[in-house]
């Protein structure tokens, strides 16, 4: 299959590589010449604009930082819609707000194209390994059409419902994630301050009603889970600034439908504090630093 | 073994029954004659005071609503310490604050007794089935001494560390639980308002990084998990007022060590709102009612 | 002076009328023909587009709901910048985000015009009476240039600093306002539930360290301040949805500079809850309804 | 008049001195011999116990850190009730919870004494100057009885209602205070980060709807109000730990009547964070340190 791929960042580049590995012909565009060269070295065809990348292909995939970039890539004079043939589906794997998805889908529909939201989870590790989860919003037929392409890059391809629901699923999952991580951070820090061994506390929570991914897989207290970012100084993982972006999408979406998100809004402030403290690139589980005293002595806590 | 059991409420009564079933001789005390009679019918010996129930036994177990009751049962003129023999352990399975545990342990030590905190999780169902988890605080030798007794009432008997750490474990677990449940309620309600099928959203969260007991076992949105209280009008389960009590213990303990618990304090207010709305006896997952609009139409949310 | 005025809503219409009363010649544009007719009846000249309204005048004033409208009014083909002469100042009295102000100011500067942010406080009453406060952002010379025009519509014309600081002042003031109103609502409701006469409590707070505009002028508890919206069923005043808009601007601006606003974010959720409950058009002091039990009996509180 | 005074701390000592200055005969008790000596030097009579201090007097005043101290001073074997004559009123100026007041009032009533809650505002400055505000809870006749005594120590003697309402008034006022101070801290920090001159912002808020004591008298941003603690490194004033204590009383009282206090609970965590950071003795306006970046450069905020 001939595929146009636009946006070769930390996520997009390994995703495009997996398309090549699966035998697809891939035309790529990115503002970074270095990023493009890496893909060209692997067999991709470099393009000078989104328009060119979208021309003469059977599918277009975009993986961009925010809705503003998607808008521009779609509708600029040298954008996707200027080059794409009628009927070719556009898959957007960026994480953006559901309202923008609807606007882009209408825009694409007027050009005779379907616009399918397909944000991912799984991080850069999943992107490299081809084990991403894709949360797909769009019609049943559009879903069936793009599923084989996504299968070259991911393990779970989930149809979430109509246009925009892929983004809704991602935003809502990450809303729970941001809250539960901060909640685990509070509980682990409180336990430490009250004198219980964090490993013991972690083990109890992980076999009880408090168990969650933030505790049993990504526990924010160093030493509790050996493979978690907390046990390697919060390097790697899912960055605080990315969590902050997703909580921003969640609270904005909530505002748009007048839906209160008390804990989500508060969690957002906690990660924002971390970011303003210069910790935006640490794994988001570093939010526990807001709770633990420096020495971690357990003798009384302390937020910073 | 001869065991004194004080406090025959919703939890204490089935626990004492399991001791009888295991072949222990059980002396019981409760202010409710009816509660005592049920145990007597099952083979227990009724006592007129905690003092009597604690006399001539090898172990005393208390299961009471709050620290004030434990204090009174221990130290009243006709209390446990007035009747108990030196060396006999006192197991308190009430959920109370860790500071009180320390005070009671010192009091007991002056009488030559160990006081072991052993709060439970598993609810009335676990109490009846004998599958409770006991979180035990006390010395290693005290733990070994009481473990066989607890094994007649529970499945997991976990040594958490020194005196008070049983309560710390329970409080910290329930802090995570109270936060994650409210977080799931926010996310499920937001998703509904944004138009995704709650069952689909639940399935995605439960296989992704947002997965937690509050979502995969006790999901607060009706219809997502058939066996959850949400699917039976929030009856049964873990009452909102009990969650409120535990979050009160958590925030109080946090205050005592100057440990911030931002999300915990906010979650406490949410359950307090539910309680003030008359929903204190509903399962705590009913907190989702604060977020969903009445009709649950998904057309824009609504907090009550 | 010849002035172009664009946006004749609840605020804009009385403002434009005051310009006419002060003897200015006013060219007006609004999408609502009825709104335009009212001004024409008072002596204004109707225009078919922002471009026409901005042509052949010495000053242009815009009063619009949000930044998107300002952008469109400025830069559409028939927009202000298409018609305005070089050197004529554009005063924007809309409440919008400071980042948009900067973008609009740069856009205007490229056309040889100054763009001055001048949001107001004082409400529709102040607009009618000509007693508004204008918070003005721009250079000292631009401020001196527009001050006489603003003086026809307001009583206090305050220079806040460079471009955008007028919006910053308004947003920050309303951030305090939204928080303090909800804080007073909590305290008055708590006092009522604990059995103190609200009038007595209000009087004490108003002569003590808790005193604030939200308590001594706009107290949310009915009967405490006779002239407050609370004493007329929360009609009139400053609508909940407007407060919600301004808290949205505040939390968005905070996000843009990574500045935590814990209480502001939580207050936003409270007003959002009110709005989702259908109370968006009530005065924002109606937020107390989230705290008081229906009967207001003081017998134990109740959030709704 | 002969008056017994128990509790000669930072507040109690200057209050007792003012009674002496007003010509009353004062019998004093405190655990600190140095504190007692200071009063003796000024003409007071030292007593060896609360019982002695309460004997042969026409009025007893207590000024103690917390309810536990009041309970002990009242009901110990050598406590007030062991020495006081029937009919002599007991005025408690400590800040404690309303529920304890009721318990103490019942206890005193059984001994034939009235127990009047009369917490103060005005700080150590007001105590020294004799300009305190007393918020008095008790019957109208009890209020008339004690008013002349209080007038020797304060300027405003306010009858709040029945027993306990003096504490309710104080707690509710300080709930507003704690919230509005943190709210002003958020707004001033946000304004600084967004580039407005803090003095200008303060001046605007103080003449607008955000005005409050926390902004116009005690503004937390250094340099805005010359006489505020912020302009002397947060020394003096009302300590963070005292605000934390009062917010603890407020949230506890709210819990007792199931009244939500969302912002109050969150503000409590903010001051708790300050206290855990070692800032418990700084004026509570130092809470702004959680929001401002170290350099206060206005270049992007920063929580600590």
């Amino acid at each position: 299959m001939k595929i146009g791929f636009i946006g070769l960042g930390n996520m997009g580049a390994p995703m495009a590589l997996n398309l090549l590995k699966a035998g697809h012909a891939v035309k790529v565009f990115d503002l970074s010449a270095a990023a493009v060269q890496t893909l060209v070295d692997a067999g991709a065809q470099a393009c000078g604009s989104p328009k060119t990348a979208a021309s003469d292909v059977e599918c277009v995939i975009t993986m961009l930082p925010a809705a503003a970039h998607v808008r521009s890539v779609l509708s600029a004079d040298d954008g996707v819609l200027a080059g794409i043939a009628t009927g070719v589906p556009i898959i957007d794997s960026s994480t953006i707000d559901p309202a923008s998805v609807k606007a882009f889908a209408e825009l694409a529909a007027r050009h005779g194209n379907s616009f399918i939201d397909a944000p991912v989870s799984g991080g850069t590790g999943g992107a490299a390994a081809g084990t991403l989860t894709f949360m797909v919003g769009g019609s049943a037929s559009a879903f069936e059409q793009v599923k084989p392409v996504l299968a070259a890059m991911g393990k779970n391809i989930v149809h979430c419902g109509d246009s925009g629901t892929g983004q809704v699923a991602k935003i809502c999952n990450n809303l729970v994630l941001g809250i539960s991580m901060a909640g685990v951070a509070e509980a682990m820090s409180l336990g430490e301050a009250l004198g219980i061994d964090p490993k013991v506390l972690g083990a109890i929570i992980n076999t009880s009603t408090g168990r969650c991914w933030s505790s049993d897989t990504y526990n924010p207290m160093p030493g509790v889970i050996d493979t978690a970012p907390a046990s390697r100084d919060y390097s790697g993982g899912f960055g605080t600034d990315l969590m902050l972006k997703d909580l921003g999408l969640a609270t904005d979406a909530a505002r748009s439908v007048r839906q209160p998100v008390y804990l989500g809004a508060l969690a957002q402030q906690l990660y924002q504090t971390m970011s303003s403290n210069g910790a935006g690139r640490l794994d988001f589980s570093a939010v526990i630093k807001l709770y633990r005293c420096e020495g971690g002595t357990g003798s009384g806590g302390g937020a910073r």
Side-chain angles (χ1 to χ4, degrees), chain A residues 15-145:
Chain A
M15 289 166 68
L17 280 171
N18 279 325
L19 290 176
L20 288 168
K21 283 184 199 159
H24 295 296
V26 184
K27 299 173 70 176
V28 298
F29 173 78
D30 194 277
L31 292 176
S32 156
V36 169
Q37 189 58 45
T38 302
L39 267 291
V40 168
D41 291 348
Q45 174 187 344
C47 296
S49 70
K51 175 181 174 181
T52 323
S55 302
D56 193 25
V57 297
E58 294 156 272
C59 178
V60 170
I61 302 176
T62 54
M63 187 59 169
L64 298 159
H69 307 89
V70 179
R71 182 185 308 276
S72 164
V73 157
L74 276 184
S75 55
D77 288 346
D78 63 350
V80 166
L81 293 175
I84 197 168
T86 299
V88 170
I90 304 165
I91 304 172
D92 180 36
S93 283
S94 318
T95 297
I96 64 174
D97 60 290
S100 290
V101 171
K102 286 184 186 166
F104 299 156
E106 286 171 17
L107 185 65
R110 286 199 296 272
H111 285 74
N113 300 94
S114 57
F115 179 92
I116 296 124
D117 50 309
V120 303
S121 72
T124 53
T131 57
L132 293 170
T133 292
F134 284 89
M135 292 160 271
V136 185
S139 69
S141 60
F143 175 72
E144 291 307 324
Q145 185 180 16

Side-chain angles (χ1 to χ4, degrees), chain A residues 19-302:
Chain A
L19 290 176
L20 288 168
K21 283 184 199 159
H24 295 296
V26 184
K27 299 173 70 176
V28 298
F29 173 78
D30 194 277
L31 292 176
S32 156
V36 169
Q37 189 58 45
T38 302
L39 267 291
V40 168
D41 291 348
Q45 174 187 344
C47 296
S49 70
K51 175 181 174 181
T52 323
S55 302
D56 193 25
V57 297
E58 294 156 272
C59 178
V60 170
I61 302 176
T62 54
M63 187 59 169
L64 298 159
H69 307 89
V70 179
R71 182 185 308 276
S72 164
V73 157
L74 276 184
S75 55
D77 288 346
D78 63 350
V80 166
L81 293 175
I84 197 168
T86 299
V88 170
I90 304 165
I91 304 172
D92 180 36
S93 283
S94 318
T95 297
I96 64 174
D97 60 290
S100 290
V101 171
K102 286 184 186 166
F104 299 156
E106 286 171 17
L107 185 65
R110 286 199 296 272
H111 285 74
N113 300 94
S114 57
F115 179 92
I116 296 124
D117 50 309
V120 303
S121 72
T124 53
T131 57
L132 293 170
T133 292
F134 284 89
M135 292 160 271
V136 185
S139 69
S141 60
F143 175 72
E144 291 307 324
Q145 185 180 16
V146 301
K147 195 175 176 181
V149 178
L150 299 178
M153 302 180 286
K155 202 171 58 176
N156 298 302
I157 322 294
V158 186
H159 188 209
C160 299
D162 287 343
S163 182
T165 56
Q167 300 291 356
V168 172
K170 168 135 193 202
I171 285 173
C172 290
N173 179 74
N174 283 14
L175 175 60
V176 177
L177 175 60
I179 293 169
S180 62
M181 178 56 81
V184 171
E186 290 193 357
M188 294 300 299
S189 303
L190 177 59
E192 181 184 40
L194 291 169
I196 194 170
D197 179 337
K199 283 205 172 193
V200 172
L201 178 56
I204 289 168
I205 290 175
N206 292 341
T207 54
S208 186
T209 50
R211 81 170 155 72
C212 52
W213 185 90
S214 294
S215 178
D216 66 21
T217 302
Y218 240 55
N219 199 294
M221 182 69 80
V224 171
I225 303 288
D226 288 344
T227 53
S231 296
R232 49 174 195 266
D233 284 334
Y234 304 100
S235 62
F238 182 53
T240 295
D241 280 342
L242 288 174
M243 174 51 80
L244 193 50
K245 175 198 166 190
D246 287 0
L247 288 176
L249 290 172
T251 55
D252 284 351
R255 201 193 309 180
S256 74
V257 290
R258 298 277 187 267
Q259 183 71 35
V261 280
Y262 292 95
L263 295 175
L266 182 50
Q268 184 181 6
Q269 301 306 311
L270 293 168
Y271 295 105
Q272 198 152 298
T273 299
M274 285 303 289
S275 184
S276 79
N277 287 355
R281 306 189 70 157
L282 296 185
D283 181 76
F284 79 116
S285 63
V287 71
I288 199 173
K289 288 173 181 277
L290 293 179
Y291 296 99
R292 294 181 73 208
C293 50
E294 279 306 304
T297 62
S299 64

